[in-house]
Amino acid sequence: MEQFLKDLFADQSYNEKSFFLIAGPCVVESEELVMEVAEKVSGICKNLGIPYIFKASYRKANRTSASSFTGIGDDNALALVKKTGETFRLPVTSDIHAHDEAAPAAEYIDVLQIPAFLCRQTDLLVAAAETGKVVNVKKGQFLSGPAMQFAVEKIRKAGNNKIILTERGTTFGYQDLVVDYRNIPWMQAHGVPVVMDCTHSLQQPNQTSGITGGNPQLIATIAKAAIASGAEGLFIETHPNPAIAKSDGANMLRLDLLEPLLKQLLKIKEVV
């Protein structure tokens, strides 16, 4: 495991032969929700020896419809993400969307996540790098794994080597994505750990209803294949009741299904 990841997980006991997990609800809906999810997932991961980063977006800047929920307010949401991490002694992550968000967000979170659509934005990548925080860049749906070398180079040239790349599917027609598992070793060739986003890779975007669809029944399939392909980490958005989630409910994993899935994945990891 990379040294910066060992430092990130310093407060957690884990098996270095495991993978790490980034998980949480898509967006901060309420304090009750983030605390419930973090308590449940952190307990599971502690028992299984899986390093865990709590994730919740403080604001959803990329929504299909203008009427979609975007957040409870940046300051309130960031404060709740930070409080969640402090309560359960977890590193936390959230998206940033513009270069001037990097420094303020870095006061609250440990890992700055760069959304897939913004992975080529030089000023955003440089600003994130300059905070000194871990930077997790999601591969654009329109890019190949090898092309992500340029995002990595921008961050490194800004003086930051704490980089994660996340595979989240590739555009397949107008309303679907497909996962090409070649991207895992291709992106690892850039000298960084690679995460598989098991939920967003199952999105069905650009629906005429204005609400993104998904195939959550295939989350386990995506996750198993990713671990078998050598991914260092998994990204899984989870919610106690995805049907009432305010964002991405169509492709989130129901919270009570997470533990049995992680147990299966650990068995696959042992074999690999």
Side-chain angles (χ1 to χ4, degrees):
M1 183 176 288
E2 296 278 349
Q3 184 58 51
F4 75 84
L5 289 177
K6 292 180 180 179
D7 295 340
L8 192 65
F9 299 123
D11 289 334
Q12 300 184 50
S13 297
Y14 63 90
N15 178 357
E16 286 198 25
K17 295 181 180 180
S18 178
F19 51 87
F20 65 92
L21 177 69
I22 303 173
C26 180
V27 64
V28 177
E29 299 178 18
S30 66
E31 180 171 357
E32 293 74 18
L33 174 67
V34 295
M35 290 294 176
E36 177 184 358
V37 173
E39 181 177 23
K40 178 69 172 179
V41 179
S42 62
I44 293 169
C45 288
K46 183 177 181 180
N47 290 337
L48 297 178
I50 297 173
Y52 172 44
I53 301 170
F54 174 79
K55 183 270 172 184
S57 295
Y58 69 88
R59 171 163 40 93
K60 298 303 293 182
N62 175 24
R63 303 306 309 274
T64 302
S65 170
S67 62
S68 296
F69 178 80
T70 58
I72 62 173
D74 292 0
D75 292 339
N76 288 337
L78 279 167
L80 282 176
V81 172
K82 182 177 181 179
K83 181 179 179 180
T84 303
E86 292 174 343
T87 300
F88 299 102
R89 299 186 68 184
L90 298 170
V92 295
T93 186
S94 194
D95 311 80
I96 59 170
H97 316 91
H99 71 277
D100 56 358
E101 295 178 20
E107 297 180 11
Y108 295 89
I109 61 180
D110 305 289
V111 181
L112 298 175
Q113 180 174 289
I114 308 300
F117 283 126
L118 301 176
C119 69
R120 287 168 49 112
Q121 296 298 110
T122 301
D123 60 347
L124 177 58
L125 293 171
V126 171
E130 290 177 343
T131 67
K133 299 285 183 160
V134 178
V135 182
N136 177 21
V137 188
K138 289 197 167 184
K139 181 185 74 63
Q141 301 93 322
F142 45 87
L143 289 178
S144 68
M148 287 299 289
Q149 66 175 307
F150 302 109
V152 172
E153 287 174 0
K154 291 174 184 179
I155 297 169
R156 285 180 173 152
K157 286 183 178 179
N160 191 332
N161 290 311
K162 296 182 285 189
I163 306 164
I164 299 170
L165 294 180
T166 293
E167 164 64 20
R168 52 95 72 236
T170 303
T171 299
F172 187 70
Y174 291 109
Q175 295 177 315
D176 209 354
L177 300 170
V178 65
V179 176
D180 181 350
Y181 288 94
R182 295 177 298 176
N183 282 319
I184 292 176
W186 279 341
M187 291 196 291
Q188 287 169 332
H190 304 320
V192 299
V194 172
V195 169
M196 181 73 230
D197 184 339
C198 304
T199 44
H200 290 98
S201 60
L202 291 167
Q203 284 182 330
Q204 293 178 314
N206 306 319
Q207 301 297 316
T208 55
S209 64
I211 300 174
T212 296
N215 287 294
Q217 69 275 12
L218 294 174
I219 291 172
T221 300
I222 297 293
K224 291 172 184 176
I227 293 300
S229 299
E232 285 89 356
L234 297 176
F235 179 108
I236 299 176
E237 286 189 339
T238 184
H239 193 286
N241 185 358
I244 63 170
K246 295 184 178 181
S247 177
D248 279 358
N251 52 269
M252 277 199 279
L253 182 70
R254 204 173 72 228
L255 186 56
D256 63 341
L257 298 178
L258 181 63
E259 184 172 11
L261 173 58
L262 292 177
K263 288 180 177 178
Q264 291 180 347
L265 296 173
L266 285 174
K267 292 180 180 179
I268 294 172
K269 181 66 175 179
E270 288 178 6
V271 174
V272 173

